Amino acid sequence: MDGSCYGLIMHRDSRFRAIGAANVMVFEFTRMMLARPGVGQVTLGRGWFPAAPTIDRFKRHAGYVEEALHLAVALHPR
């Protein structure tokens, strides 16, 4: 949308942490999306809440930049 690719669903399995599978998948996803005509940026969605410093550090190391955004939630009355 508008030159952006939104990679919003990202899950990792800690069983594969030692081989860096998540790192490779994020790298390859980003590379493939940026190679598409008309795509100038890729986002992996909002940060974790509560914050996960290791994931934030990983995203920065991968070249992603943090940007502030406003977030609203709707709570169920119960």
Side-chain angles (χ1 to χ4, degrees):
M1 178 187 329
D2 297 326
S4 298
C5 176
Y6 296 87
L8 299 178
I9 301 175
M10 190 170 101
H11 299 281
R12 66 180 175 87
D13 189 326
S14 59
R15 293 177 298 171
F16 303 106
R17 181 183 223 162
I19 62 172
N23 302 22
V24 173
M25 290 173 53
V26 167
F27 172 80
E28 191 60 21
F29 168 76
T30 304
R31 188 189 66 76
M32 289 175 59
M33 294 304 105
L34 289 174
R36 290 184 175 191
V39 175
Q41 62 184 13
V42 176
T43 181
L44 295 178
R46 65 171 181 78
W48 292 88
F49 184 80
T54 56
I55 294 173
D56 294 338
R57 185 172 50 250
F58 164 74
K59 287 180 180 180
R60 283 191 302 275
H61 183 71
Y64 284 84
V65 178
E66 292 181 55
E67 295 179 357
L69 75 107
H70 297 283
L71 180 65
V73 295
L75 301 175
H76 192 281
R78 287 188 276 178

